[in-house]
Amino acid sequence: QKLHTQGNIVRTGNSFDIAIQGYGLFQIAHPGGSIVYSRDGSFGLDNTGQLVTQNGYQLEPAITVPPNTLSVTVGSDGTVSAMVPGNTAPTQIGNLTLAQFINPTGLEPIGDNLYRESASSGAPQIEVPGQNGAGSLIQGSLESSNVNVVEELVNMIETQRAYEMSSKAISTTDDMLAYVSQQL
């Protein structure tokens, strides 16, 4: 079962790293022609200036960064602005949106931190970040794993001890039955 709970936000300083604070998934154009979803916000630029994932898949809605851009700013509401030479104010170049699902655990994992819509997940609801329950965006940061290592280690030790105890009980029962069958 996949848990879509919030992980810790880690500051990277890379202007194309975008973390989601709260609930929501980025929309990614998959090479097969479908839209897939991810919380992985480590983006970059391809050779045409498109904002893409680490695998080269284009972000939806498409964001094209103009050539010779000095800096890119992503607001918490998904507004993407670029500072280009010759302008004194940033120019808005697009808006990021987030997809929400009624049952996010029903999403079908397809690898590379990507999920596909399924019958059990329901249809996506596209929202502006920070509105209608959608999380806000944090530029220059990434979301780390939502796994609590200490808690999972304790759970693993408890499971190992329970297995050892069950194994010894079965072994003792087997020894008792062997004794009974040989002595009686």
Side-chain angles (χ1 to χ4, degrees), residues 25-29 35-38 58-61 97-99 126:
L25 297 148
F26 293 110
Q27 302 169 82
I28 312 293
I35 299 294
V36 294
Y37 307 92
S38 178
Q58 188 176 343
L59 188 65
E60 283 293 326
T97 58
L98 296 176
I126 309 305

Side-chain angles (χ1 to χ4, degrees), residues 1 15 18 24-25 38 50 63 69 72 77 79-80 98 133 163:
Q1 179 179 352
S15 63
I18 305 167
L25 297 148
S38 178
Q50 295 282 325
I63 305 288
T69 296
V72 174
D77 64 349
T79 304
V80 182
L98 296 176
Y163 172 79

Side-chain angles (χ1 to χ4, degrees), residues 54-130:
Q54 295 299 314
N55 294 330
Y57 303 154
Q58 188 176 343
L59 188 65
E60 283 293 326
I63 305 288
T64 303
V65 177
N68 303 325
T69 296
L70 301 173
S71 66
V72 174
T73 306
V74 179
S76 62
D77 64 349
T79 304
V80 182
S81 303
M83 181 64 85
V84 293
N87 288 355
T88 57
T91 305
Q92 184 173 340
I93 58 174
N95 290 304
L96 294 176
T97 58
L98 296 176
Q100 295 182 315
F101 291 88
I102 293 171
N103 180 20
T105 57
L107 289 167
E108 175 190 351
I110 60 172
D112 295 325
N113 289 327
L114 298 174
Y115 297 92
R116 182 176 286 132
E117 175 187 345
S118 72
S120 61
S121 70
Q125 299 167 355
I126 309 305
E127 302 290 347
V128 173

